[in-house]
Amino acid sequence: MSENDLLIEEILKLKKKSGALILAHYYQRLEIQKCADFVGDSFELAKRAKEAKSDLIVFCGVRFMGESAKILNPTKKVIMPRPDAGCQMADMVTVSKLREMKNTYPKAAVVCYVNSSAEIKAESDICCTSSNAVKVCESIDADEIIFVPDKNLGAYVAAKLPHKMFHLYYGYCPVHKNITLEDAMNAKKRFPDAKLFVHPECEAEVVEIADYVGSTSGIIREAENSDAKQFIIGTEYGVVERLTEYNPDKKFWLLSPKLVCINMKMTSLINLRDCLKDQFGEIDMPEELRMKAFSALDKMMRI
Ligand code: 13P
Ligand code: SF4
């Protein structure tokens, strides 16, 4: 048995003993995904956390995801093996910068991408994820929208809803923004028979030449259901690892080796084992803040 297999065995025993529900994002290392009760994109994970019956939720992802779980299901203990794993995009917007935008555009509704802190959610009218951003912005009763923090997702949504006016904050995911049109064209030249699937956090010129644009779950679903046999994947490496493992009849290439989120890769099997054993890394926040952030998240969940 390999060292990883032994750790996975130990983790599964600890999970059973503690009654914990382990949630993991698709960008987590494959061995972490294998320990989870549920693996999903940020929306699906928020939904699972909200519906969780277990008193203990172990969240393998980045901090805003653990925070969303606590906001949506506050009576549960939410712990993270790496609570120090942040999201660089979420850190780009501050409450004072958002308030400045609200003062400049007082009639606009505030839509915040779920990749944001609890404080930003508390200042927003409604949240969205990459899987429902268009739907959320379309559904709200406002013609003017402040969209934070991702300028690329915001621009993607704005292009789909030309009848609404968008004020975009200049935030971005350094992992996806790093991908250039040249990277995408080169990958298409190398693998001419492959379909190009990308995440909307990529730059507009990359999104424009893609065969499919969607959240991590959307990309996985679409690739698994497609008749095509080869795919260039323009999102984090964890998605390629998973698709390759579970679809041996298809070929998946990562658009660029730059597509690795160091924060998502922080969680190791040892971290997960220790977290289950000692139950450290609890996510909590003042109730007033939680209630305000809940309102924005809950409105999204109802759409
Ligand atoms: P998903 O909403 O597709 O899970 O994406 C989250 C994320 O962090 C993308 O970089
Ligand atoms: Fe944040 Fe980008 Fe990592 Fe997603 S991939 S968690 S947006 S830094």
Side-chain angles (χ1 to χ4, degrees):
M1 245 192 185
S2 71
E3 200 180 323
N4 272 3
D5 288 341
L6 286 169
L7 276 164
I8 292 175
E9 201 176 83
E10 198 181 347
I11 286 165
L12 296 180
K13 273 189 201 147
L14 285 163
K15 182 171 78 140
K16 202 167 172 198
K17 195 169 154 211
S18 62
L21 173 77
I22 303 182
L23 300 177
H25 189 266
Y26 284 124
Y27 293 170
Q28 291 288 293
R29 295 164 189 269
L30 195 57
E31 63 265 26
I32 296 289
Q33 295 187 31
K34 285 183 177 167
C35 297
D37 294 293
F38 180 75
V39 185
D41 70 2
S42 51
F43 179 76
E44 293 164 343
L45 287 166
K47 196 162 174 283
R48 281 295 172 121
K50 187 174 194 255
E51 291 161 359
K53 298 277 179 283
S54 165
D55 288 330
L56 182 65
I57 300 172
V58 181
F59 212 113
C60 302
V62 288
R63 195 170 170 98
F64 76 80
M65 295 179 174
E67 278 185 359
S68 296
K70 184 68 188 179
I71 292 165
L72 289 165
N73 204 342
T75 62
K76 309 300 182 191
K77 184 172 180 180
V78 178
I79 55 177
M80 293 185 76
R82 292 301 297 253
D84 54 335
C87 163
Q88 286 159 283
M89 167 163 27
D91 294 342
M92 284 181 191
V93 59
T94 59
V95 168
S96 67
K97 284 191 179 149
L98 176 52
R99 284 190 183 153
E100 253 174 55
M101 280 185 95
K102 286 166 81 168
N103 285 337
T104 311
Y105 308 110
K107 288 199 200 114
V110 180
V111 178
C112 78
Y113 189 23
V114 73
N115 294 40
S116 54
S117 65
E119 286 78 5
I120 293 295
K121 291 185 176 79
E123 283 282 324
S124 303
D125 294 299
I126 188 164
C127 273
C128 71
T129 71
S130 56
S131 65
N132 61 20
V134 176
K135 217 163 145 189
V136 166
C137 291
E138 193 168 28
S139 74
I140 55 172
D141 187 21
D143 297 328
E144 224 180 304
I145 291 172
I146 294 171
F147 193 96
V148 293
D150 188 9
K151 70 171 183 70
N152 283 345
L153 180 63
Y156 174 76
V157 177
K160 301 249 177 222
L161 303 173
H163 54 290
K164 297 208 179 205
M165 185 189 285
F166 282 77
H167 306 292
L168 308 179
Y169 183 82
Y170 192 85
Y172 54 87
C173 164
V175 180
H176 290 87
K177 190 181 181 292
N178 238 340
I179 302 309
T180 62
L181 179 61
E182 200 187 346
D183 291 331
M185 297 301 279
N186 285 343
K188 273 166 93 78
K189 256 186 236 150
R190 270 188 79 195
F191 309 111
D193 297 329
K195 297 270 179 212
L196 174 64
F197 285 11
V198 308
H199 197 279
E201 287 176 12
C202 289
E203 294 281 296
E205 66 237 45
V206 175
V207 165
E208 262 165 38
I209 62 159
D211 296 298
Y212 174 79
V213 183
S215 75
T216 49
S217 288
I219 289 174
I220 289 170
R221 214 173 20 246
E222 206 57 30
E224 287 181 341
N225 294 336
S226 168
D227 292 335
K229 292 284 175 213
Q230 298 180 39
F231 304 86
I232 300 161
I233 302 295
T235 194
E236 213 271 346
Y237 176 57
V239 171
V240 171
E241 265 194 306
R242 185 176 181 94
L243 281 168
T244 304
E245 174 88 359
Y246 296 109
N247 300 277
D249 59 322
K250 296 185 175 183
K251 278 254 173 249
F252 302 95
W253 289 284
L254 190 64
L255 195 163
S256 157
K258 293 181 274 188
L259 281 163
V260 175
C261 175
I262 46 166
N263 289 312
M264 281 286 189
K265 298 302 186 225
M266 279 167 79
T267 310
S268 67
L269 285 175
I270 292 176
N271 296 149
L272 177 54
R273 192 258 329 260
D274 293 349
C275 180
L276 273 165
K277 213 159 47 177
D278 302 329
Q279 299 196 8
F280 58 74
E282 184 166 1
I283 304 297
D284 211 355
M285 67 198 71
E287 182 57 12
E288 199 186 330
L289 171 64
R290 190 199 68 78
M291 290 282 283
K292 283 189 190 159
F294 175 82
S295 163
L297 267 173
D298 187 53
K299 274 187 214 151
M300 169 186 83
M301 308 296 292
R302 288 169 191 275
I303 285 175

